[in-house]
Amino acid sequence: MGIVNVTPDSFSDGGRWDTTEAAVAHGRHLVEHGADVLDIGGESTRPGATRPLVAEELGRVVPVIRELATDGVVVSVDTMRAEVAAAAIDAGAGIVNDVSGGLADPRILDVVADSDASYVAMHWRAHADRMRDFSDYGPDGVVASVRRELGERLDAVLAAGVPRERVVLDPGLGFAKKPGQNWELLAALDGLRELGCPLLVGASRKSFLGSLLAVDGVPRPVDEREHAHVALVTLLAVSGVDLLRVHDVRATRDALAVVAAMDGGQA
């Protein structure tokens, strides 16, 4: 899943693809490099980000989705809003990637249920401007808490009428999680698989990688974390993660080719 941020303020590449023309061109570039899905987002969820108006988000993502879907690309919309999800599906999106798992706008579950779209439910506790205040997982710890809370979201998604075979789960790396908590989750993905849905993992360029590579307490800059990310996606591929949400599609494809060759398969 290649990331296309049609935003001025995303943590990794804010402003680089914030016009329809630039975003479409970047999406096509990612497909040329081997992306199976393009994830189009019009709202930054970096820590501290403020939300755009609904009209702003619609204006950012819908034209991009319409053009890329016309190319025959499988398109996902990265949104927490029912209105945006509905418009994106009408424009050709086949996946709704909701980082809130339906908590930010429960109506989004009805939109998905009334369509043929698949749904990604991520573990989430609060909006970007407040999520740092919600990283205390109490005596149960982050692994058990995320499994329980993500299971509750899965129950809500299924109760809304979305078939299980169209649901994907995401542990929500970096969202209301301290650096060490992300590593705990990554080491315990088997527990999330027990929920019975495919897993999506999005670790690309995130701050816990920057913290891992810090020098004298200064995190590695965003655009210098790809080597560590490739090492991580290689391990995730070996472990059987179903979807990888990434910025650098070519680097990820190279890693997957190595995994396939070592496994005796075709790259």
Side-chain angles (χ1 to χ4, degrees), residues 35 157 229 245:
V157 172
H229 179 247
R245 185 178 182 275

Side-chain angles (χ1 to χ4, degrees), residues 47-92:
T50 56
R51 307 196 72 188
L53 299 173
V54 175
E56 288 180 303
E57 188 180 352
L58 285 166
R60 291 171 181 176
V61 301
V62 170
V64 177
I65 290 169
R66 183 176 292 114
E67 192 157 348
L68 290 171
T70 301
D71 288 351
V73 178
V74 178
V75 177
S76 165
V77 61
D78 180 359
T79 187
M80 294 180 273
R81 288 170 162 149
E83 299 98 323
V84 177
I89 291 169
D90 287 343

Side-chain angles (χ1 to χ4, degrees), residues 20-41:
T20 298
E21 295 76 14
V24 169
H26 183 55
R28 289 170 174 159
H29 176 75
L30 295 181
V31 171
E32 289 173 1
H33 283 180
D36 296 304
V37 180
L38 294 178
D39 194 38
I40 315 300

Side-chain angles (χ1 to χ4, degrees), residues 170-251:
D170 180 343
L173 300 179
F175 287 78
K177 296 170 186 74
K178 297 175 182 177
Q181 293 170 333
N182 295 290
W183 295 111
E184 289 183 58
L185 275 174
L186 286 166
L189 292 179
D190 284 346
L192 297 183
R193 285 194 187 90
E194 293 173 358
L195 294 172
C197 294
L199 292 184
L200 179 151
V201 173
S204 186
R205 301 181 182 174
K206 288 192 173 177
S207 61
F208 75 98
L209 294 175
S211 297
L212 175 72
L213 305 171
V215 176
D216 296 329
V218 179
R220 179 77 62 84
V222 169
D223 58 355
E224 297 178 17
R225 300 171 185 173
E226 192 57 42
H227 296 307
H229 179 247
V230 168
L232 177 56
V233 298
T234 302
L235 294 172
L236 293 174
V238 171
S239 73
V241 167
D242 302 277
L243 287 161
L244 299 166
R245 185 178 182 275
V246 305
H247 294 89
D248 192 330
V249 170
R250 172 170 281 180

